[in-house]
Amino acid sequence: MRSVEEHQRAVADLIRARPPVTVPLSDAEGLALAADVTAPISLPVFDNSGMDGYAVLADDVATATPEHPVKLPVTEDIPAGRTDIPSLAPGTAHRIMTGAPIPFGADGVVPVEATDGGTEVVAISAATARGRHIRRAGGDVAEGATVLWAGQLVTAPAAGLAAALGLAELTVRPRQRVLVISTGTELVKPGTTLAPGQIYESNGVMLAAALRDAGAEVVAAATVADDTAEFTAVLDRYGVRDGAVDLVITSGGVSAGAYEVVKDVFGRDGDQGVDFVKVAMQPGMPQGIGRVGDAAIITLPGNPVSAQVSFEVFVRPALRRAMDLPAPDRPRRTAILSETLTSPAGRRQFRRGLLDHETGTVTNYGPPASHHLRYLASANCLLDIADEVTELPVGTAVEVWDLTG
């Protein structure tokens, strides 16, 4: 069987980064920049007031105290947004608002709290130093400076900075476009009535949520019966062979049974470019990877825990690397096992667990079987047990994958 590490490398090689695209700021958030961003203007663009108050010559108010305020005539009113910048004559004051342009000749701002708030004549009760409460042009960003770097995530502040610089678009690494297909004649949509032998479809919902959490775009989450014509029709409907999607993820139909629609469509002998392999892990042994046209194909097992654990181990890190997103791997932590565990020889086992971040201990959560979804739904980590380990006594230090990071 193929090792986990071998299959991880194969999946990483399979998922290719899309060419950079230029998108509006609102569509860039959460994506990685594909090019450095240089400032086309300075920030602030002009000298402006950092306070509501009065623009003055510092020498005119140097002697001002609460007991002996300096009185100056108010000759201009400068709100934020005023486009004609007046000049300040010595011995006068201009009432000014935060963000408004500093008048020519002024070299300080007295906060309104240090005045009587006069509109015709203002009594100033405190001196101000030259440059006090003045935001100088270029004090934050100098024109031509690199302010954001390729590979940096477009966060809310990064988008805000780009907007402040007048940039309406950014060049980013686009999301991977993913089609999810769940297979099984027994599957029905949640919310409908079950007939005997039917179960509710959950893998598509779960994998689509995991893909969006990983930063990808879910083109659709389709459910198909064990019918090759229906499966092929879904591939055609979403343009898999025409470059409309980057990745197809299937669940189910990859085991050794008689009704394995994924194998039947993609070729049991790999003639469609998809290889079906066994990986030395539990859960998630049956896997498949390949390519149809330009679309990468990843086939996951049908049991819910197997599908989701396989996604965590193989797909999520490769996807995030292809999109140049930070932290492609879940944080690895060492925790102390609170009970004795056994593991099958020759299989790297991923057990659901509850990690106590305060005590640094971890508790196994639920049986190892791949149909016990309820435990995975509440687990906050995966215990990573090496393939050569068959028993872990209580108190053993074990590596866990923190699913909250």
Side-chain angles (χ1 to χ4, degrees):
M1 287 190 286
R2 176 180 287 182
S3 71
V4 169
E5 293 83 0
E6 288 173 328
H7 199 62
Q8 285 174 325
R9 289 192 292 271
V11 173
D13 291 341
L14 182 73
I15 299 178
R16 301 169 181 169
R18 293 177 62 191
V21 295
T22 300
V23 299
L25 283 183
S26 58
D27 295 334
E29 295 171 28
L31 300 178
L33 287 169
D36 292 350
V37 175
T38 56
I41 60 173
S42 295
L43 291 180
V45 181
F46 50 84
D47 292 353
N48 68 85
S49 178
M51 299 287 287
D52 293 332
Y54 295 83
V56 298
L57 285 167
D59 288 346
D60 286 343
V61 297
T63 62
T65 65
E67 295 78 19
H68 301 285
V70 172
K71 294 184 178 181
L72 298 174
V74 180
T75 58
E76 291 282 355
D77 206 39
I78 310 177
R82 180 169 174 175
T83 57
D84 61 314
I85 303 176
S87 295
L88 178 77
T92 67
H94 290 178
R95 191 169 70 147
I96 194 167
M97 304 302 140
T98 302
I102 297 294
F104 297 116
D107 61 7
V109 173
V110 177
V112 68
E113 292 83 1
T115 73
D116 66 353
T119 57
E120 295 184 1
V121 176
V122 62
I124 297 173
S125 57
T128 188
R130 288 186 179 88
R132 188 77 182 274
H133 302 309
I134 295 178
R135 302 165 176 166
R136 295 297 182 189
D140 183 16
V141 174
E143 181 180 346
T146 300
V147 292
L148 299 170
W149 287 264
Q152 183 175 345
L153 192 69
V154 181
T155 59
L161 175 59
L165 291 168
L167 301 173
E169 299 175 324
L170 290 172
T171 301
V172 295
R173 184 69 65 184
R175 300 184 191 279
Q176 292 278 310
R177 301 164 299 176
V178 187
L179 170 64
V180 179
I181 306 176
S182 299
T183 66
T185 303
E186 74 278 14
L187 303 177
V188 296
K189 184 179 179 180
T192 58
T193 301
L194 289 175
Q198 293 182 329
I199 61 173
Y200 289 122
E201 197 287 310
S202 60
N203 283 353
V205 174
M206 179 171 60
L207 290 171
L211 284 161
R212 285 188 288 266
D213 180 68
E217 172 192 347
V218 178
V219 174
T223 303
V224 301
D226 294 318
D227 181 278
T228 56
E230 183 180 344
F231 188 94
T232 302
V234 170
L235 297 179
D236 294 339
R237 184 185 313 151
Y238 293 103
V240 171
R241 293 176 177 84
D242 300 325
V245 302
D246 306 300
L247 171 63
V248 178
I249 296 180
T250 69
S251 65
V254 295
S255 295
Y259 300 97
E260 305 298 343
V261 64
V262 175
K263 280 188 173 181
D264 289 339
V265 170
F266 289 139
R268 289 182 179 270
D269 298 322
D271 58 338
Q272 296 296 314
V274 178
D275 294 321
F276 298 96
V277 300
K278 293 182 178 180
V279 178
M281 65 182 289
Q282 186 189 53
M285 181 180 68
Q287 302 284 337
I289 62 170
R291 190 169 295 280
V292 171
D294 290 331
I297 308 294
I298 296 179
T299 70
L300 303 179
N303 278 319
V305 177
S306 296
Q308 182 63 20
V309 170
S310 297
F311 179 88
E312 285 287 340
V313 174
F314 303 117
V315 184
R316 186 181 190 275
L319 267 179
R320 290 185 67 82
R321 285 191 175 89
M323 293 183 287
D324 207 13
L325 294 178
D329 296 310
R330 295 288 193 182
R332 307 290 200 266
R333 311 195 189 283
T334 300
I336 302 303
L337 193 60
S338 62
E339 60 187 300
T340 296
L341 287 180
T342 59
S343 184
R347 302 276 187 92
R348 184 170 168 183
Q349 192 176 53
F350 293 91
R351 298 284 290 266
R352 288 135 280 180
L354 295 175
L355 173 64
D356 188 322
H357 289 85
E358 292 186 3
T359 64
T361 59
V362 64
T363 302
N364 175 67
Y365 190 51
S370 57
H371 65 284
H372 291 290
L373 184 58
R374 60 164 289 194
Y375 298 101
L376 183 60
S378 300
N380 64 1
C381 71
L382 293 175
L383 286 76
D384 185 355
I385 303 174
D387 54 5
E388 71 274 9
V389 175
T390 58
E391 184 173 347
L392 290 168
V394 61
T396 300
V398 61
E399 184 179 79
V400 300
W401 295 23
D402 189 345
L403 299 179
T404 66

